[in-house]
Amino acid sequence: MFEIKHTLCPSCSVGCGINVILDGEEIVGTFPYKRHPVNAGKNCLNGRNSIDCFKDKLENVDLNKAIADASNEIKSANASDVTVICSGNDTVEEIEAIKDFAESNGFNIGFYANDLKNFDDVASYEEVAHASKVFVIGDLLYENPLIGRRIVHAKQNDAKIFALGKNENSVTFNIADEVSNSSVQEFLDKFNGEIDESSVVVFNYVDEAEDLDKLESLNCKILPVFSKPNTKGALNIIDSKSSDEMAELFDNTKLLIVFNDDVVDEFDYDFTKVSKIISLSCCENDTTKIADIVIPIKSWLEQDGSFVNAMGETQNFNSVIESDNLGITEVIGELNK
């Protein structure tokens, strides 16, 4: 018998609602959650494909043995040699547990937010849609389509669109009045005279840390859009590190514990220099492929929790299917025994 359950899309930090279609105990598809205030009946391709992680989930792993092996490695290591990695893929509750796990054991902790940072006062999605001028850094119409939809709405409301992209094929360029392939600093300096209180700057990348200070000093609202669903929530709990700081952390790590992230894919780093890697993941990725110990965990589809979206709203979600796996908080409880 078919059943529909509501949850949140985990594909980026926009926070769209999504409906998951179940045929008995099998997840068979998705369709948009029409009454959800963020996406109002629209989901992008990434959202529609978000259930693939469940289809590719880790199987044929002895959970008890994996946890026992991980516990032995952790107990035999010097605390200063252990680094814990948390992620914007983790829920608010999991990040709090991961932080407590690291601090109570004296471990190093790393969190990477794509070289972005937390801003207390950010634009709402409606403020983007009703701005008189929108400055877009990154190809948001392609990479974050449900934010891109607000930019299109602004264009339809006669806003002027200024777009910065890394290549000439940027989808956002198709609706922009002014386009640029320059650096972020050059882009902001070039159009500085156009930026005022009626403007919004929306961005999903910067070139360097100084760009963040420049953005924060602007006389307008800004909205950073993150690639992971709970990066904003994580930034409320833990300080992020730059890519260079993360590489330095890896250099000084002998035991790396990765909570629901794919650091091998994300960083240009030789992880063979790390003596031992423990990966907690719901599905196979580049990090699980090289990890010494892999602990399968619940996906977001199999648990309750909360994410904080890009504009700072906490959104709760419930599991849509049962699972025999443990969640991250439960695994931490086992590792602390």
Side-chain angles (χ1 to χ4, degrees):
M1 184 176 72
F2 286 99
E3 186 179 4
I4 305 298
K5 292 195 175 181
H6 309 307
T7 187
L8 292 177
C9 177
S11 299
C12 71
S13 67
V14 177
C16 297
I18 194 167
N19 286 321
V20 177
I21 308 169
L22 294 95
D23 183 2
E25 294 298 314
E26 183 180 0
I27 293 176
V28 295
T30 67
F31 72 94
Y33 186 2
K34 294 188 181 299
R35 296 192 303 276
H36 197 278
V38 169
N39 53 310
K42 304 289 184 182
N43 283 125
C44 70
L45 181 61
N46 289 334
R48 296 193 294 273
N49 292 339
S50 61
I51 60 172
D52 289 349
C53 72
F54 181 80
K55 294 178 179 178
D56 298 332
K57 67 178 184 176
L58 292 165
E59 295 180 335
N60 302 319
V61 177
D62 187 330
L63 178 61
N64 292 330
K65 183 178 186 305
I67 291 176
D69 290 345
S71 181
N72 289 335
E73 290 289 346
I74 292 168
K75 289 174 181 176
S76 63
N78 292 323
S80 60
D81 294 331
V82 180
T83 293
V84 168
I85 302 296
C86 74
S87 164
N89 293 322
D90 303 318
T91 67
V92 169
E93 297 76 17
E94 289 170 341
I95 292 166
E96 289 173 342
I98 293 165
K99 182 182 180 184
D100 182 66
F101 172 66
E103 291 180 346
S104 62
N105 287 287
F107 301 152
N108 305 303
I109 187 165
F111 166 59
Y112 181 61
N114 296 100
D115 291 318
L116 300 178
K117 73 171 188 177
N118 203 14
F119 296 89
D120 293 328
D121 186 19
V122 298
S124 70
Y125 302 158
E126 287 307 304
E127 285 176 316
V128 174
H130 292 96
S132 65
K133 285 171 278 188
V134 183
F135 297 81
V136 187
I137 300 172
D139 194 1
L140 277 88
L141 264 69
Y142 178 74
E143 296 167 16
N144 306 101
L146 274 301
I147 289 292
R149 187 168 177 242
R150 265 56 177 213
I151 298 168
V152 172
H153 288 169
K155 177 76 172 180
Q156 292 170 339
N157 291 331
D158 296 323
K160 191 172 182 181
I161 311 299
F162 302 80
L164 172 65
K166 293 182 178 180
N167 62 72
E168 295 180 356
N169 297 318
S170 170
V171 176
T172 307
F173 283 5
N174 293 332
I175 69 161
D177 299 283
E178 300 272 359
V179 302
S180 176
N181 294 120
S182 68
S183 69
V184 172
Q185 288 276 348
E186 290 169 335
F187 175 72
L188 295 175
D189 287 341
K190 179 179 179 179
F191 297 114
N192 185 56
E194 298 275 0
I195 300 174
D196 56 33
E197 292 181 352
S198 67
S199 307
V200 174
V201 180
V202 189
F203 58 100
N204 62 14
Y205 79 87
V206 294
D207 296 321
E208 53 190 20
E210 288 75 13
D211 296 340
L212 299 171
D213 296 331
K214 181 86 171 181
L215 286 160
E216 196 166 30
S217 71
L218 296 174
N219 184 33
C220 70
K221 284 286 185 75
I222 60 175
L223 178 65
V225 183
F226 306 102
S227 63
K228 297 172 185 176
N230 196 37
T231 298
K232 176 74 171 174
L235 285 167
N236 292 335
I237 298 169
I238 185 171
D239 294 332
S240 64
K241 295 184 181 296
S242 69
S243 53
D244 289 341
E245 289 171 331
M246 291 295 289
E248 183 178 354
L249 191 60
F250 295 143
D251 283 339
N252 293 288
T253 298
K254 293 182 180 178
L255 175 60
L256 183 66
I257 309 172
V258 183
F259 286 92
N260 199 22
D261 211 350
D262 190 359
V263 293
V264 173
D265 177 68
E266 191 161 22
F267 295 97
D268 183 17
Y269 184 84
D270 181 9
F271 283 94
T272 61
K273 295 191 294 185
V274 179
S275 299
K276 291 284 183 180
I277 299 177
I278 300 171
S279 175
L280 291 82
S281 179
C282 63
C283 60
E284 186 178 74
N285 56 41
D286 289 341
T287 302
T288 65
K289 290 175 183 176
I290 70 164
D292 300 279
I293 300 170
V294 177
I295 301 176
I297 56 172
K298 291 179 179 178
S299 71
W300 102 102
L301 290 163
E302 301 165 303
Q303 63 178 326
D304 303 338
S306 61
F307 292 150
V308 179
N309 66 22
M311 62 178 172
E313 291 184 344
T314 300
Q315 299 177 282
N316 298 312
F317 60 94
N318 299 315
S319 63
V320 301
I321 197 165
E322 296 297 321
S323 173
D324 292 331
N325 285 335
L326 301 179
I328 283 176
T329 303
E330 295 169 307
V331 172
I332 289 174
E334 293 296 317
L335 295 176
N336 277 330
K337 287 182 178 179

